Amino acid sequence: MKISKTILLLAMLGIAACLGGCRNFEEKETLHTARLEVYEEDGTTLINTVEDEEAVARFEAGGWGQEAGISSDVDPTGKDLEGREPLFTIAAMKEPAALINNGEMEKTFTITVYEGTDVVKMVVMPQIKNIALSEEFLTFYFEVPEEDMEFFLSLAGKCIEDSGLL
């Protein structure tokens, strides 16, 4: 009886050590955006994939949706976008954090750009896969400065004059 308790204790310690010590040494890389995917207004037709490190770093440095980027002038329910047509959606993709994965990148959030406005819609993907959260709790609206809007448009291969934003 004492031997089985000892074996059980050693097995639990071994599992705990493995879980604590077995990690992806490229973990830092998995926390950052690795690629941007730009989709047409329908949200399903891929029009551009951006893997250029400088462009991805610039996108990531924007702090989209963080407190500094959220304007108090923007209606948090998205009423500023009523009647506006989406131009395209940018999806931020990252490498999966799991050590064992299917090799597909995970979407962390999307930003949808609309015609005739500098207000964009951001939808954050839930980080916990087994919990269903309503999209309304993961959706944010904010104004984007003209320089950033031009950058978004360039990712989609568009220019600001063609977008109806002026």
Side-chain angles (χ1 to χ4, degrees):
M1 188 70 158
K2 186 175 182 178
I3 294 175
S4 62
K5 284 184 181 180
T6 305
I7 292 173
L8 181 62
L9 179 62
L10 288 173
M12 289 181 3
L13 286 173
I15 291 171
C18 184
L19 291 176
C22 297
R23 61 181 169 182
N24 186 349
F25 290 103
E26 296 180 25
E27 186 173 325
K28 183 177 180 185
E29 295 295 320
T30 65
L31 300 177
H32 298 288
T33 302
R35 174 173 81 203
L36 303 173
E37 294 179 352
V38 185
Y39 294 88
E40 286 186 358
E41 63 277 352
D42 65 7
T44 58
T45 305
L46 183 66
I47 58 175
N48 193 18
T49 300
V50 180
E51 295 180 308
D52 176 67
E53 289 181 20
E54 287 183 32
V56 172
R58 178 177 176 192
F59 182 84
E60 195 169 54
W64 317 117
Q66 294 178 7
E67 212 169 299
I70 298 175
S71 169
S72 59
D73 298 335
V74 177
D75 188 310
T77 62
K79 289 186 180 179
D80 295 318
L81 299 176
E82 284 182 3
R84 303 217 185 251
E85 293 294 319
L87 291 173
F88 57 90
T89 298
I90 303 168
M93 309 296 286
K94 71 176 183 101
E95 297 287 343
L99 291 174
I100 300 172
N101 61 61
N102 61 5
E104 291 184 26
M105 291 199 177
E106 297 175 348
K107 192 181 299 183
T108 55
F109 65 91
T110 62
I111 292 180
T112 303
V113 176
Y114 289 82
E115 184 176 24
T117 184
D118 59 352
V119 176
V120 297
K121 173 183 167 184
M122 177 181 186
V123 179
V124 179
M125 303 302 124
Q127 297 299 312
I128 302 171
K129 306 290 184 211
N130 296 332
I131 296 178
L133 294 173
S134 173
E135 188 174 302
E136 73 181 283
F137 299 116
L138 302 170
T139 302
F140 307 92
Y141 301 90
F142 54 96
E143 289 178 326
V144 176
E146 185 175 336
E147 180 182 309
D148 292 335
M149 186 61 75
E150 287 176 358
F151 175 63
F152 287 170
L153 291 165
S154 74
L155 295 175
K158 301 178 185 281
C159 63
I160 202 159
E161 292 81 20
D162 298 337
S163 67
L165 294 173
L166 289 178

